[in-house]
Amino acid sequence: MALRLYTYWRSSAAYRVRIALALKGLAYESAPRHLLRGGGEQRSAGYLATNPQGLVPALEHDGHVVTQSLAICEYLDEIHPQPALLPADPRGRAAVRAMALAVACDIHPLNNLSVLKYLRGELGQSDAAVARWSRHWIDRGFAALEQLVARNSADGRHCYGSSVTLADVFLVPQVVNARRVELDLSPYPRLAAVAVHLESLPAFRAARPEAQPDAE
Ligand SMILES: N[C@@H](CCC(=O)N[C@@H](CS)C(=O)NCC(=O)O)C(=O)O
């Protein structure tokens, strides 16, 4: 199986997919697209032909392209079911997807590069105001996730149950982003404890931004 991942070391959406690939022990070719250089390589005609959204990640599997990190992670889970990233029962699957989606749909999009660039450029906001914006939306999302993890974690080391699921795969990159904008994590002791445990696991370590070939 030939896999190529369009990625960027600091992209938290690509980080999710790198974690899923590592958990499943799948080798892949890393195809970095620099999100800042020359106005952003993700906007080049060549890359737009791969992903018309002009976003990373995109995964090419034997020439077939899958976009959107959640769709990619679920695709990987379906073509390579072990270890499973979703629980077997419908309620468990829904709970895990709800936590992953809280990150993917409700926190991360408000902190995406093009959104922050628009705030800084067209809306003339300062770096400090933009950082404040980021912290505000992460705080709001983390407050809810803290409750969801309290409800769903069985061991205080995973978002759901006592093994790694997609909720964990999505949480860790968001926590790393939160640290980058110097968000105080002390109101979220459960999220912090889960992240510390997960970040010690080999698959999460291999996927971290600093470990990527394009890391600066
Ligand atoms: N919902 C998408 C989000 C992808 C996304 O926003 N990627 C960011 C990097 S984390 C990106 O490519 N940003 C480039 C830009 O905004 O121009 C997913 O989960 O894959």
Side-chain angles (χ1 to χ4, degrees), residues 11-13 16 35 42 55-57 68-69 108 112-114:
S11 157
S12 67
R16 301 165 189 160
L35 297 189
Q42 75 280 19
L55 300 169
V56 295
Q68 285 288 343
S69 60
H108 175 264
N112 191 14
L113 179 68
S114 45

Side-chain angles (χ1 to χ4, degrees), residues 7-8 10-17 33-36 39-43 47 51 53-58 67-72 103-105 108-109 111-117 170 177:
T7 177
Y8 177 61
R10 265 194 158 165
S11 157
S12 67
Y15 189 176
R16 301 165 189 160
V17 176
R33 290 296 176 269
H34 201 293
L35 297 189
L36 305 170
E41 293 174 356
Q42 75 280 19
R43 306 296 313 168
Y47 186 66
N51 181 1
Q53 279 197 287
L55 300 169
V56 295
T67 61
Q68 285 288 343
S69 60
L70 186 62
I72 297 170
V103 172
C105 296
H108 175 264
N111 299 293
N112 191 14
L113 179 68
S114 45
V115 170
L116 303 185
K117 228 165 125 183
F170 278 61
N177 270 2

Side-chain angles (χ1 to χ4, degrees), residues 89-160:
D89 65 301
R91 287 184 182 169
R93 294 165 84 80
V96 166
R97 285 188 175 115
M99 287 187 272
L101 286 164
V103 172
C105 296
D106 299 326
I107 302 176
H108 175 264
L110 290 160
N111 299 293
N112 191 14
L113 179 68
S114 45
V115 170
L116 303 185
K117 228 165 125 183
Y118 188 79
L119 286 171
R120 252 186 227 107
E122 276 80 348
L123 301 186
Q125 297 299 308
S126 64
D127 286 348
V130 172
R132 197 172 146 198
W133 162 282
S134 289
R135 284 193 294 270
H136 172 78
W137 296 110
I138 301 172
D139 253 330
R140 194 164 149 155
F142 276 9
L145 272 174
E146 179 77 5
Q147 300 308 312
L148 291 173
V149 169
R151 203 182 281 178
N152 289 298
S153 179
D155 62 2
R157 304 200 310 172
H158 300 87
C159 291
Y160 179 90

Side-chain angles (χ1 to χ4, degrees), residues 132-204:
R132 197 172 146 198
W133 162 282
S134 289
R135 284 193 294 270
H136 172 78
W137 296 110
I138 301 172
D139 253 330
R140 194 164 149 155
F142 276 9
L145 272 174
E146 179 77 5
Q147 300 308 312
L148 291 173
V149 169
R151 203 182 281 178
N152 289 298
S153 179
D155 62 2
R157 304 200 310 172
H158 300 87
C159 291
Y160 179 90
S162 54
S163 61
V164 173
T165 64
L166 284 182
D168 301 307
V169 169
F170 278 61
L171 175 71
V172 165
Q174 192 57 61
V175 167
V176 169
N177 270 2
R179 290 190 196 122
R180 266 178 68 195
V181 294
E182 296 176 351
L183 182 88
D184 176 15
L185 286 174
S186 60
Y188 317 114
R190 290 186 181 89
L191 300 186
V194 167
V196 164
H197 167 67
L198 294 168
E199 286 177 292
S200 72
L201 303 179
F204 285 77

